[in-house]
Amino acid sequence: KQEVTQIPAALSVPEGENLVLNCSFTDSAIYNLQWFRQDPGKGLTSLLLIQSSQREQTSGRLNASLDKSSGRSTLYIAASQPGDSATYLCAVRPNYQLIWGAGTKLIIKP
Amino acid sequence: NAGVTQTPKFRVLKTGQSMTLLCAQDMNHEYMYWYRQDPGMGLRLIHYSVGEGTTAKGEVPDGYNVSRLKKQNFLLGLESAAPSQTSVYFCASSYEGSNQPQHFGDGTRLSIL
């Protein structure tokens, strides 16, 4: 059974730092992996999608990598800003559904 | 751009009451999904649909029913609400194919007293 883990559950860093969020999954048989952002009381915003054949995707200050063989993905945020404060979720897609991690709550201190 | 729209946004029910959550998408997506999100956990799939008139069970389908009578709408029903169904419900849609990204609505916050 596919399981997705995100560590740490919470992270607090000063503004301006570069940071890495981690996502691990137990079964490498996936079509893709997505990173989402969720603001308190809000819906989910898709940040990056990495297909199984890809190694990384970039959007602005965000870079996501995928290593299927080791069952790991990282989300790199460069030059963090207070507006980046949110919960970041990763999800893998083995079939029709997405299997989700519980998320990392990120706080960027001004 | 409306995208995926969920109604209602909030609802409080008493145990045993019934209700229907509506999801509408305007992107002509074939696939639609209902997830629930509970504190400290990832989202879990309740039911999904790969096309008009078709539905299938997800990971946690018990206590819920769904219908997809029109391509753009996906309804989630609770026949007899239970406190364990207190959760945030998210609807999503995507184009056909497992490599397509899923697009999410803003969620429905449901409390069962």
Side-chain angles (χ1 to χ4, degrees), chain A residues 22-44:
Chain A
N22 297 297
C23 173
S24 62
F25 48 97
T26 55
D27 189 339
S28 62
I30 61 172
Y31 286 100
N32 56 53
L33 182 147
Q34 270 184 275
W35 281 94
F36 293 84
R37 170 183 173 141
Q38 185 174 29
D39 293 284
K42 301 292 186 180
L44 297 153

Side-chain angles (χ1 to χ4, degrees), chain A residues 2-97:
Chain A
Q2 178 74 267
E3 294 182 357
V4 179
T5 304
Q6 292 185 249
I7 296 174
L11 181 63
S12 180
V13 300
E15 179 179 4
E17 282 198 4
N18 302 323
L19 59 97
V20 174
L21 304 181
N22 297 297
C23 173
S24 62
F25 48 97
T26 55
D27 189 339
S28 62
I30 61 172
Y31 286 100
N32 56 53
L33 182 147
Q34 270 184 275
W35 281 94
F36 293 84
R37 170 183 173 141
Q38 185 174 29
D39 293 284
K42 301 292 186 180
L44 297 153
T45 302
S46 180
L47 298 173
L48 291 164
L49 181 147
I50 311 176
Q51 300 292 356
S52 62
S53 58
Q54 297 174 324
R55 296 284 291 181
E56 66 177 342
Q57 282 287 331
T58 298
S59 175
R61 295 183 293 108
L62 304 179
N63 175 277
S65 68
L66 175 63
D67 184 343
K68 276 182 42 177
S69 62
S70 65
R72 298 177 66 179
S73 175
T74 62
L75 178 66
Y76 175 83
I77 302 176
S80 59
Q81 304 169 359
D84 294 329
S85 297
T87 296
Y88 291 81
L89 298 133
C90 73
V92 299
R93 190 164 187 177
N95 44 49
Y96 291 115
Q97 68 175 318

Side-chain angles (χ1 to χ4, degrees), chain A residues 1 31-32 34 36 38-44 46 49 51 89 93-102, chain B residues 31 33 35 37 40-45 48 50 59 90 94 97-102 104-107 109:
Chain A
K1 179 183 177 183
Y31 286 100
N32 56 53
Q34 270 184 275
F36 293 84
Q38 185 174 29
D39 293 284
K42 301 292 186 180
L44 297 153
S46 180
L49 181 147
Q51 300 292 356
L89 298 133
R93 190 164 187 177
N95 44 49
Y96 291 115
Q97 68 175 318
L98 290 172
I99 307 295
W100 297 75
Chain B
Y31 295 177
Y33 317 81
Y35 293 90
Q37 185 180 33
M41 300 179 65
L43 280 72
R44 291 179 293 169
L45 184 67
Y48 65 97
V50 298
E59 182 183 356
F90 286 100
S94 72
S98 294
N99 64 339
Q100 297 295 324
Q102 295 186 11
F104 285 80
D106 287 341
R109 285 149 186 79

Side-chain angles (χ1 to χ4, degrees), chain B residues 9-20:
Chain B
K9 296 187 184 307
F10 305 93
R11 187 72 183 269
V12 178
L13 290 178
K14 294 181 179 179
T15 298
Q17 288 185 318
S18 63
M19 79 162 295
T20 301

